[in-house]
Amino acid sequence: KTESKMFVWQQRKRVVWGLVVVLHCLCCFALHRVESQVTTTTTTTTPTTTPTTTTTTAPQPPRPDLKALQAMTLEQFSALVGPIWEQAPWVAVDCYPQRYHWTDLTTMHQYMFDYIKNGPRSMEFLHKIPPLSVDVTNSSLASNLSAAEHGSLNRYDPTLHTLDTAYSNKFGFPMVIAVVRNSVDHIYQEFRTRVNNTAAQEIENNFLNVWYISRIRLASRAQGFDPQDIYGSVTVHVIDGNLGGTAPGIPLRLYLLYNNGTNRLLLNQTVTASATGRNYILPLTKPVQIGTYHLEADVDAYLARTTNQSITASGTGTPLPDPPFLDTVLIRFSTWTAERNYHIPIVLSNYGYSTYLGS
């Protein structure tokens, strides 16, 4: 009997421990479910304030120089340089064996340009350039570059289409113009002027614009050009004629005029600095478009401040009237080429100013 009772007790003990283990497992499972639900709720429920997301942009690889271009494989060279020549990847392939003869990017670009213009496929090249009034829809990189470079030009404008069609009907090839270095008004003017030329003249004009377009594209993909030769700039220097020095702290705004001067587009705004005097109102980042510009310089606060400072320091003088005679200096000027610096000095006094094209 004693052995039987011990056996029963051991069996009950095993059952109890088994139940304890089962209960422990169930508790752990239930706790895990609760934690998962809490986590899900926390991540899916949007708080009242939107969290700030920080996106890390991978640094852009440096643009290759001539040595790096010469060391590239044919595939690498074609991928980088091929799209520079509109719809003509064969140019990069054909010129690749000559790469060690180039001494800089200028000679490289000129060699490739001469290879197209003077080669047997020159007219084929011109015919394949998309017209301005027809949108480029294929997926080649050259086409995408061309479309991006058209900027504010409305390629669906019926007037542009009429001008483009008239030109193509006369010459049998589309008109080529470097949109990135020409204002919209000047592009329309070029259409109306160039349609009266001979075919030989227009072949020359088209290839001249191909030269500009391809050089700007190459400069954006490789390093070695002088930015001033590619892009040009507009600088302003305000000179205080009363004090005989640079006038710092004057707000400047530069606009590009379009629709025959009835509308304007703000290009940049800055404030004159005292350190250098030469203020880049249009920096060396893209070509100065051929067109008409409107420059504004708010001089009233500066003149009032410096006049009052002068009176306080000397104890003599006449304060400016309120409002002052000069409020905002307005200068309207035109550019005739994109690859130069247009330096505009403004010599300022309390009751007048003068300006000119500087160097």
Side-chain angles (χ1 to χ4, degrees):
K1 287 185 179 179
T2 303
E3 290 177 355
S4 177
K5 284 181 181 181
M6 286 295 295
F7 177 78
V8 172
W9 168 249
Q10 287 175 357
Q11 290 296 326
R12 288 177 180 175
K13 189 177 178 181
R14 289 193 188 97
V15 172
V16 169
W17 277 109
L19 289 173
V20 169
V21 171
V22 171
L23 286 172
H24 177 73
C25 293
L26 289 173
C27 288
C28 290
F29 178 75
L31 181 61
H32 176 73
R33 287 291 302 272
V34 170
E35 287 176 348
S36 300
Q37 289 174 359
V38 170
T39 305
T40 307
T41 309
T42 306
T43 53
T44 56
T45 304
T46 306
T48 53
T49 56
T50 307
T52 307
T53 305
T54 305
T55 3
T56 305
T57 306
Q60 293 295 323
R63 290 174 299 153
D65 57 10
L66 180 64
K67 281 189 175 181
L69 288 169
Q70 291 171 332
M72 288 181 176
T73 64
L74 174 60
E75 291 73 18
Q76 293 170 332
F77 184 82
S78 300
L80 184 77
V81 180
I84 290 169
W85 308 99
E86 192 83 49
Q87 308 289 343
W90 49 268
V91 178
V93 175
D94 292 357
C95 295
Y96 176 75
Q98 302 298 321
R99 65 193 183 283
Y100 289 110
H101 296 284
W102 304 327
T103 56
D104 51 31
L105 284 190
T106 300
T107 55
M108 169 186 167
H109 172 257
Q110 192 64 47
Y111 179 90
M112 300 180 82
F113 172 77
D114 291 339
Y115 181 81
I116 299 173
K117 183 184 177 185
N118 303 325
R121 302 178 70 177
S122 59
M123 293 310 298
E124 173 194 342
F125 175 83
L126 284 185
H127 279 89
K128 285 189 175 181
I129 295 178
L132 283 179
S133 61
V134 176
D135 194 16
V136 183
T137 55
N138 66 50
S139 60
S140 74
L141 186 53
S143 300
N144 293 336
L145 280 172
S146 177
E149 289 163 352
H150 291 151
S152 57
L153 180 67
N154 180 9
R155 304 182 68 201
Y156 299 96
D157 179 17
T159 303
L160 178 64
H161 182 68
T162 301
L163 293 170
D164 206 359
T165 302
Y167 182 97
S168 299
N169 287 343
K170 178 176 180 179
F171 297 113
F173 48 78
M175 188 180 97
V176 181
I177 187 166
V179 174
V180 71
R181 65 187 297 274
N182 289 274
S183 66
V184 173
D185 282 4
H186 192 255
I187 292 170
Y188 280 74
Q189 178 184 331
E190 283 289 282
F191 264 109
R192 294 186 175 98
T193 302
R194 287 173 53 179
V195 74
N196 299 312
N197 291 337
T198 64
Q201 288 173 319
E202 279 313 290
I203 291 173
E204 285 298 316
N205 284 331
N206 280 348
F207 272 111
L208 176 60
N209 279 275
V210 167
W211 186 86
Y212 282 121
I213 294 168
S214 55
R215 194 172 68 138
I216 292 168
R217 289 176 178 173
L218 180 58
S220 70
R221 291 177 157 245
Q223 54 179 320
F225 286 110
D226 182 352
Q228 184 66 69
D229 294 337
I230 300 293
Y231 301 119
S233 57
V234 177
T235 53
V236 180
H237 186 187
V238 184
I239 304 163
D240 189 331
N242 299 323
L243 303 177
T246 295
I250 295 179
L252 301 174
R253 292 177 297 279
L254 183 66
Y255 299 88
L256 176 64
L257 302 183
Y258 61 99
N259 287 344
N260 297 318
T262 57
N263 299 94
R264 62 184 191 174
L265 172 68
L266 178 64
L267 298 178
N268 194 21
Q269 51 188 342
T270 187
V271 177
T272 57
S274 56
T276 60
R278 185 178 289 253
N279 303 275
Y280 279 85
I281 187 69
L282 206 59
L284 294 162
T285 54
K286 61 181 180 179
V288 176
Q289 290 189 329
I290 299 170
T292 303
Y293 294 81
H294 180 90
L295 174 66
E296 295 181 351
D298 296 333
V299 301
D300 50 346
Y302 171 83
L303 290 174
R305 182 176 68 256
T306 54
T307 301
N308 291 336
Q309 288 172 351
S310 176
I311 293 173
T312 303
S314 64
T316 60
T318 307
L320 287 182
D322 187 16
F325 176 69
L326 287 180
D327 179 3
T328 299
V329 170
L330 311 175
I331 300 173
R332 181 166 169 164
F333 65 96
S334 296
T335 57
W336 59 92
T337 185
E339 297 77 22
R340 63 156 291 163
N341 171 243
Y342 295 90
H343 183 55
I344 306 171
I346 303 172
V347 183
L348 184 64
S349 67
N350 287 348
Y351 296 97
Y353 68 92
S354 63
T355 188
Y356 54 94
L357 177 61
S359 58

